[in-house]
Amino acid sequence: MLIFDTTLRDGEQTPGVSLTGEEKLQLARQLARLGVDVIEAGFPAASRGDLEAVRRIALEVEGPRICALARAREEDIRAAWEAVRYAEKPRIHVFIATSRIHLEHKLRMTREEVLARTREMVALASSLCQDVEFSPEDASRTEPGFLYEILEAAIEAGASTVNIPDTVGYALPEEFASLIRGIRKNVPGIERATISVHCHDDLGLAVANSLAGVAAGARQVECTVNGLGERAGNAALEEIVMALLVRRDLLGLSCGVKTENIARTSRMVSTITGVPVPPNKAIVGANAFAHESGVHQDGVLKERRTYEIIDPKTIGLAESKLVLGKLSGRHALKERLQGLGWRLSEEELGRVFARFKELAEKKEVTEADLEAIVADELYRPPEIYHLEQVQVVCGDRGIPTATVRLRGPSGEELVDADHGTGPVDAVYRAINRIVGESPKLIEFSIKAITGGLDAIGEVTITVEAPELAGPNGRPRHFSGQGASTDIVVASAKAYLNALNKLLAAKGGNP
Ligand code: KIV
Ligand code: ZN
């Protein structure tokens, strides 16, 4: 079974996510370590920046096949080829919509025109690249007869993989399986191609539909880490891989993903994209292996398998290891970070090392602590306001009061104070006074990175900016993260992180 990862393409289409070339490269290296078969690295025709990012991945990442997406247009296909041509194993992925609703309202093309364009563009892609994948977009809402015809044409023109997208997450599992069976039965030449599935999660069925497709004969699954992707997202890679492993008895298939790298990859994707993993998310959520009820705890203590179908170690969730002490040097830190999948520049390493030393004075530093420091130090948006100092007075008698010192866009020092219902509220009000914004706080969550009273606390917040509408007309949301052993400081960092994103969206980025 081939695992086709599209975190860097469909995953980047997650609302609010935008990755730099460097971030994409960092993630692509981790996906290679994870052992995916194909990395869809981007959509080069979308921008010069994406083309360059895909090209760097093609040049530098070894192991998986590197794929670039292209509409069925000559300029897209040439841009895709320019981006992937130096990869060890390049692939071009050509798509065109095939459902009646897309043909009439979006493409304004007839079926004959779409068929002719498919033949021509798949042939062009095949003349450039040996490995071509073809996707009839919105396949699950396409009339089956036309779908068979277009798949036959694509295979004849040179496609060696035909991908069946449930673009709008509309299909039900049995219906999707029957579509795959229909394709296997009715498309002449289908034995020369690998059938792939690409399911979206609008009805929460992306993984179920993908597995139904696999059971019906698909041999490539397209998915994203943490289920990121357009709207409700794509099928989650970690869920597909673990379902294949845990239910091998029934599915009888295996894949090359190194499951012990799953948790780490999930954390890296969350850190870099800024999209938190919901606590109840299957496999990688914080609660996925937590047993709350007494009956369950009793059962697990007697025999783990009573309530656990996966040993947490299988996905790399062992006890967070002590990695370094306060005497450890920069070189040891660099090696540890590399072992965790992070490759940092010397300047970045210097910043992380300073934070590490600060923490190591207070506590033993674990892998999870290091990941939190990297996230906090390196994956912040360009800072418009920088937090210099927070000071609070609080308790059960006094009025919670905060004084905050920020560095402003031109390097100026800005100080203000306010009071609130608690120390965090007081800090946020003081920041609002300086920055001149007061967005609505939608979510606030805090978690301890490791156990113990000396743990680093990581705060994740979401704020809403009513005056900034997103493409769907609803107010835009901005998330922020911050980590510190002091939870009020972590809360201030997270808030400023979200505010900096909001200000950048308003054009305030100097
Ligand atoms: O969802 C979809 O249809 C896609 C295609 C480009 C494969 O992402
Ligand atoms: Zn998609």
Side-chain angles (χ1 to χ4, degrees):
M1 173 63 49
L2 299 173
I3 300 294
F4 175 116
D5 180 277
T6 182
T7 308
L8 302 180
R9 200 277 298 169
D10 222 328
E12 206 199 356
Q13 291 171 221
T14 304
V17 172
S18 166
L19 302 171
T20 64
E22 198 55 48
E23 289 168 343
K24 282 187 130 184
L25 184 61
Q26 182 87 259
L27 286 172
R29 287 201 190 105
Q30 182 61 22
L31 291 169
R33 270 189 289 269
L34 182 64
V36 304
D37 299 283
V38 186
I39 295 176
E40 187 163 55
F43 182 16
S47 69
R48 192 73 210 169
D50 209 32
L51 190 151
E52 287 307 332
V54 177
R55 202 210 314 253
R56 269 191 80 188
I57 292 170
L59 283 166
E60 294 186 32
V61 177
E62 286 172 9
R65 207 162 266 290
I66 308 297
C67 173
L69 184 68
R71 285 168 296 187
R73 296 185 184 182
E74 181 171 349
E75 62 276 23
D76 278 34
I77 291 170
R78 295 204 182 277
W81 179 235
E82 195 186 330
V84 295
R85 62 185 305 170
Y86 299 112
E88 214 183 0
K89 292 175 276 175
R91 174 180 290 186
I92 299 178
H93 178 186
V94 180
F95 77 99
I96 190 163
T98 49
S99 64
R100 186 184 299 273
I101 190 162
H102 278 236
L103 260 59
E104 272 178 22
H105 300 283
K106 187 180 84 173
L107 297 180
R108 303 215 167 90
M109 287 170 80
T110 63
R111 283 186 175 174
E112 291 65 36
E113 285 168 334
V114 169
L115 207 52
R117 176 80 72 84
T118 299
R119 282 203 184 91
E120 197 187 342
M121 292 299 129
V122 173
L124 170 67
S126 305
S127 71
L128 299 169
C129 183
Q130 263 192 356
D131 184 342
V132 174
E133 170 169 332
F134 171 72
S135 288
E137 190 190 10
D138 206 14
S140 54
R141 292 194 299 172
T142 299
E143 193 267 309
F146 181 53
L147 190 62
Y148 302 153
E149 215 179 325
I150 203 153
L151 293 176
E152 179 185 1
I155 296 168
E156 243 173 41
S160 49
T161 301
V162 286
N163 178 44
I164 312 303
D166 181 23
T167 302
V168 290
Y170 177 74
L172 298 180
E174 182 41 41
E175 182 189 22
F176 197 62
S178 144
L179 180 66
I180 303 297
R181 283 194 293 270
I183 289 167
R184 290 182 68 199
K185 190 161 161 225
N186 296 300
V187 176
I190 193 71
E191 63 293 341
R192 300 202 303 275
T194 301
I195 301 178
S196 166
V197 287
H198 175 114
C199 299
H200 280 268
D201 210 29
D202 299 66
L203 292 174
L205 292 170
V207 171
N209 284 337
S210 305
L211 293 175
V214 166
R219 288 296 173 267
Q220 174 179 284
V221 181
E222 302 201 352
C223 45
T224 56
V225 176
N226 298 341
L228 292 182
E230 190 78 46
R231 304 182 310 281
N234 289 60
L237 177 145
E238 59 280 5
E239 297 177 27
I240 299 282
V241 168
M242 291 314 292
L244 287 173
L245 183 72
V246 174
R247 298 314 311 271
R248 196 161 171 193
D249 57 328
L250 215 66
L251 295 166
L253 295 163
S254 60
C255 70
V257 167
K258 299 180 187 78
T259 60
E260 65 279 11
N261 285 336
I262 285 181
R264 181 167 297 154
T265 309
S266 160
R267 288 197 296 266
M268 188 185 280
V269 167
S270 173
T271 297
I272 293 183
T273 59
V275 181
V277 177
N280 60 336
K281 165 83 181 62
I283 316 293
V284 290
N287 296 347
F289 297 96
H291 302 280
E292 186 67 20
S293 94
V295 174
H296 287 210
Q297 287 175 355
D298 179 53
V300 171
L301 285 175
K302 288 177 175 144
E303 168 55 58
R304 190 188 57 75
R305 287 171 302 164
T306 49
Y307 287 102
E308 258 182 29
I309 57 166
I310 298 167
D311 181 340
K313 287 195 201 86
T314 319
I315 62 155
L317 274 183
E319 273 286 285
S320 193
K321 281 176 261 148
L322 167 68
V323 287
L324 296 165
K326 62 179 176 184
L327 298 178
S328 307
R330 195 180 155 107
H331 186 71
L333 176 70
K334 185 175 176 177
E335 282 201 341
R336 266 322 159 125
L337 287 169
Q338 274 176 359
L340 291 170
W342 295 99
R343 273 215 230 165
L344 309 186
S345 68
E346 283 306 308
E347 186 270 330
E348 290 170 335
L349 183 67
R351 278 154 61 197
V352 172
F353 185 62
R355 285 284 300 275
F356 155 72
K357 279 287 182 191
E358 225 175 81
L359 186 64
E361 285 299 325
K362 299 185 195 157
K363 75 185 280 289
E364 297 173 328
V365 180
T366 66
E367 281 185 357
D369 289 327
L370 283 186
E371 283 174 340
I373 292 176
V374 170
D376 194 50
E377 224 16 80
L378 306 183
Y379 291 95
R380 291 185 298 215
E383 282 196 311
I384 298 171
Y385 289 93
H386 176 77
L387 185 70
E388 293 281 354
Q389 195 187 344
V390 185
Q391 194 181 311
V392 290
V393 179
C394 61
D396 61 349
R397 296 293 144 105
I399 299 171
T401 310
T403 307
V404 171
R405 186 153 56 89
L406 304 184
R407 197 164 12 84
S410 325
E412 71 278 29
E413 192 173 279
L414 303 157
V415 182
D416 214 326
D418 207 337
H419 64 277
T421 51
V424 174
D425 185 44
V427 168
Y428 287 8
R429 283 170 188 271
I431 293 177
N432 287 350
R433 285 173 69 95
I434 299 176
V435 172
E437 294 285 342
S438 45
K440 194 167 154 198
L441 189 63
I442 302 290
E443 256 178 51
F444 177 96
S445 72
I446 181 156
K447 72 171 193 238
I449 297 293
T450 47
L453 288 173
D454 58 358
I456 290 192
E458 190 174 66
V459 172
T460 303
I461 67 161
T462 309
V463 298
E464 183 179 274
E467 67 282 18
L468 282 179
N472 51 15
R474 288 199 290 270
R476 275 183 72 178
H477 287 179
F478 299 88
S479 65
Q481 286 175 316
S484 169
T485 45
D486 182 318
I487 55 171
V488 177
V489 176
S491 306
K493 285 182 170 182
Y495 189 58
L496 210 53
N497 184 223
L499 270 184
N500 277 326
K501 290 183 189 170
L502 184 156
L503 290 167
K506 278 188 165 179
N509 200 351

